[in-house]
């Protein structure tokens, strides 16, 4: 058939678009591919049909086999029946039947019925001949088509055989290796002695240590190039050798923690956006991005491993591998908690810091004392070193949620952590504009007079840049700090007020009152009245211990001494309660509460001296002097230092030093009202007893008060005592170490005359007799004492 399709002309090709030509080419290639695919499928089906025909092997019936079968049957018949019992006709009949080969020689593998027409019956040999032979040919080799070569005769196709791997040989080698492995497993392992096992364990442990050290040193030397080795080192956290698994995992945890502390940058790494990923950057920038991405991912996986270690210990679940025992989980968990605490304190600016906080804060309430103390110390360090307040705010939020989620059933130490927050009155009340340094610039006239036009232009740009820098560095940071501290304090006070409202009988109440005593001056003035009413109701209820009631009093006066001094409130009920409960203190367990009492007295009298009457001050001075006789020396020193402040601050306190002064009424020491106990009618006789105290510092203070607490002269105290507060002196002379402060001077006894010999008391003649009696048997002789007396009288 003639091809009627005309070839397009050159001009028509020019008019054809490139897209259309590309589509034609693609369609042509697709048709070729589909034809080739169809051809391959047909070839595959043909090969499968040949393979199935080969698998069904017919059983050919040959003459030799017929003879062998006939002979075999003859032998079997001979074995089965004796020849005497068979006739010759019967034997001949059996032989004829055997030659016909009916059902005995029929191919049982064929599915054809037995009774078929004769035209369908073919001999077995012909059927066997029709089956294609299985030739031992070489396997088909796949060809790789190359570019053809064109010469005068035409196009010569080029092809190369694709190399085929010897699969059979590999399978044989694999089977041989398996057999060798099976043979190796079947061999019994040598039995090691305990010494050999210990030596083998030490050797393996040393190998692991060297490997850890090599990886760590490589990472620290070049973090950018060796960031992938972090993954290798982290993989050792899954050590499977039960002999060294626990120690190796602990070493890897600590090593990774130290590595991250060294190589982590001083900024937070944020994920790249799609636009940033699509843009082309320099090689150095791309290398830095890869390093940061790998660092963040490995750091995340490391924290997940530490978290999983702690969860395994908490759940007490044994892993399927059974590499580590349940007893070893606690040691691994302790190391994991230590690593998390170190990272919490060392990397507060880096990624996943909030995740670490969420892990650490619940462990503060853990029954294990060691783990809870580790978490307490870490949070305290974080609060002390946090200057801006981001980390502190995160911790306070988690603690508040923990207290509320556990229904206030947490340890009091969890709330006492709030006392270490770095939030002061100065930082909150100072304005950012006052903190920012102000710089005086040149006036417009000075600029016109001293500078040229170009210099004025540059000067204007410099001033603008400096203003922007000042705003960015000082003002913005102070505003952020003020905002963060305000939010942190709001959460703290919300937690405190919740406990005061809903859980007044909770063991958290002392910690709440102690926290209110510290941060009460920062509370909003609107809450002062309600808070004072709540504190007084707690004291009146009688359900508080002595220490808790002292914290209530201290909180109330902190409120009134700060912003509450503008309120017209007379806290006489708090003075009365403190005066009533002072004698509950003694030299036993309550001696430590003297420090809180001294703080209360400082806030109640020193900072509110204009609102305190003379009768109240005299009553407290007398009762404190009596209390100084019943407490330990450090408490006595603190109380006497407070009495010194009273005598210097309030006039007419020396009334109690004069025995002859008279007043109206009689002193009533058992009355609990300081305004009506007539303290002006008594004397400070306790000072004379304290002047003979065994502690030298107590003696000095008592003598100083008896002299009227002068600031100059012979009765004045030294600067070491006068410039210290009562609380500082109380802590300075603390006796927790069961030692005297100052130490007791050792008294050296007088050296007596020693006599080396006893002969000076013995007469010469008596001495001779003693020596003779010691050395040998002495003949007894009468001693003539009169002779000695006569000689002395004559002389």
């Amino acid at each position: 058939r003639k091809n009627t399709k005309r070839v397009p002309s050159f001009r028509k090709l020019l008019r054809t678009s490139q897209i259309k030509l590309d589509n034609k080419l693609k369609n042509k290639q697709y048709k070729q591919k589909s034809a080739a695919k169809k051809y391959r499928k047909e070839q595959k089906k043909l090969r499968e049909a040949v393979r199935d025909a080969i698998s069904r092997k017919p059983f050919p019936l040959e003459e030799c086999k017929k003879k062998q079968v006939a002979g075999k049957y003859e032998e079997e018949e001979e074995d089965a029946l004796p020849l005497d019992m068979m006739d010759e006709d019967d034997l001949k009949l059996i032989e004829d039947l055997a030659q016909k080969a009916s059902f005995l020689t029929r191919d049982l593998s064929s599915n054809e019925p037995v009774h078929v027409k004769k035209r369908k019956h073919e001999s077995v040999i012909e059927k066997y001949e029709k089956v294609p032979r299985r030739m031992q040919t070489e396997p088909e080799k796949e060809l790789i088509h190359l570019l053809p070569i064109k010469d005068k005769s035409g196009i010569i196709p080029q092809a190369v055989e694709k190399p085929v791997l010897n699969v059979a040989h590999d399978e044989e080698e694999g089977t041989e290796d398996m057999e060798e492995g099976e043979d190796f497993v079947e061999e019994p392992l040598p039995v090691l002695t305990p010494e050999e096992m210990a030596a083998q364990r030490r050797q393996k442990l040393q190998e692991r240590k060297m490997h850890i050290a090599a990886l760590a040193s490589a990472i620290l030397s070049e973090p950018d190039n060796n960031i992938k080795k972090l993954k290798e080192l982290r993989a050792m956290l899954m050590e499977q050798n039960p002999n060294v698994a626990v120690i190796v995992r602990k070493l890897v945890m600590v090593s990774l923690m130290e590595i991250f502390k060294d190589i982590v940058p001083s900024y937070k790494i944020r994920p790249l956006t799609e636009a940033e990923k699509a843009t082309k950057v320099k090689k150095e920038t791309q290398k830095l991005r890869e390093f940061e991405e790998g660092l963040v991912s490995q750091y995340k996986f490391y924290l997940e491993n530490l978290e999983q270690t702690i969860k395994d210990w908490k759940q007490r679940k044994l892993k399927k591998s059974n590499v580590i025992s349940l007893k070893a989980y606690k040691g691994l968990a302790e190391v994991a908690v230590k690593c998390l605490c170190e990272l919490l304190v060392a990397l507060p600016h880096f990624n996943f810091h909030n995740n670490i906080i969420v892990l650490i804060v619940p462990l503060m309430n853990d029954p294990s004392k060691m783990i809870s103390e580790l978490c307490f110390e870490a949070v305290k360090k974080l609060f002390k070193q946090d200057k801006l307040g981001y980390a502190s705010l995160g911790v306070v939020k988690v603690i508040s949620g923990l207290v509320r989620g556990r229904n206030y059933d947490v340890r009091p130490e969890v709330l006492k952590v709030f006392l270490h927050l770095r939030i002061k009155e100065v930082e909150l009340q100072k304005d950012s504009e006052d903190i920012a340094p102000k710089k005086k610039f040149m006036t417009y006239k000075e600029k016109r007079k001293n500078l040229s036009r170009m210099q004025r232009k540059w000067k204007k740009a410099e001033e603008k840049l400096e203003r922007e820098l000042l705003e960015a560095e000082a003002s913005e940071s102070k505003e952020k700090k003020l905002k963060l501290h305000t939010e942190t304090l709001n959460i703290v006070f919300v937690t405190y007020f919740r406990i005061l409202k809903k859980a007044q009988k909770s063991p958290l109440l002392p910690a709440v009152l102690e926290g209110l005593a510290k941060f009460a001056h920062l509370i909003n003035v609107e809450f002062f009245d309600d808070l004072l009413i709540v504190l007084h109701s707690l004291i009146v209820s009688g359900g508080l211990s002595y220490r808790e009631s002292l914290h209530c009093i201290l909180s109330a006066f902190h409120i009134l001494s700060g912003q509450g001094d503008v309120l017209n409130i007379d806290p006489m009920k708090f003075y009365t309660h403190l005066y009533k409960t002072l004698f509950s203190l003694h030299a036993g367990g309550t001696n430590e509460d003297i420090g809180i009492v001294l703080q209360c007295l400082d806030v109640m009298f020193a900072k509110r001296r204009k609102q305190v009457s003379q009768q109240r001050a005299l009553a407290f001075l007398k009762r404190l002097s009596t209390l100084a006789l019943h407490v330990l020396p450090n408490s006595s020193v603190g109380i006497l230092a407070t009495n010194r402040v009273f005598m210097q601050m309030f006039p007419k306190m020396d009334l109690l030093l004069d025995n002859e002064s008279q007043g109206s009424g009689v002193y009533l020491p058992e009355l609990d009202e300081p305004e009506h106990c007539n303290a002006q009618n008594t004397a400070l006789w306790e000072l004379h007893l304290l002047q003979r105290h065994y502690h030298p510092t107590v003696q000095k203070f008592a003598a100083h008060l008896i002299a009227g607490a002068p600031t100059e002269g012979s009765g004045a105290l030294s600067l070491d005592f006068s410039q210290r507060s009562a609380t500082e002196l109380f802590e300075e002379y603390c006796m927790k170490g069961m030692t005297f402060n100052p130490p007791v001077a050792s008294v050296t006894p007088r050296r007596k005359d020693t006599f080396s010999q006893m002969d000076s008391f013995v007469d010469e003649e008596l001495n001779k007799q003693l020596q003779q009696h010691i050395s040998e048997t002495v003949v007894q002789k009468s001693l003539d004492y009169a002779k000695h007396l006569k000689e002395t009288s004559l002389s």
Side-chain angles (χ1 to χ4, degrees), residues 41 45 106 113 261 564:
K41 284 184 178 179
K45 288 181 179 179
R106 185 168 61 85
K261 284 170 64 177

Side-chain angles (χ1 to χ4, degrees), residues 234 292-302 304 352:
R234 190 176 56 81
E292 290 178 348
E293 187 179 356
L295 179 64
V296 171
S297 63
Q298 293 302 322
Y299 187 61
K300 177 186 176 183
F301 293 143
Y302 172 63
E304 288 176 353
F352 309 112

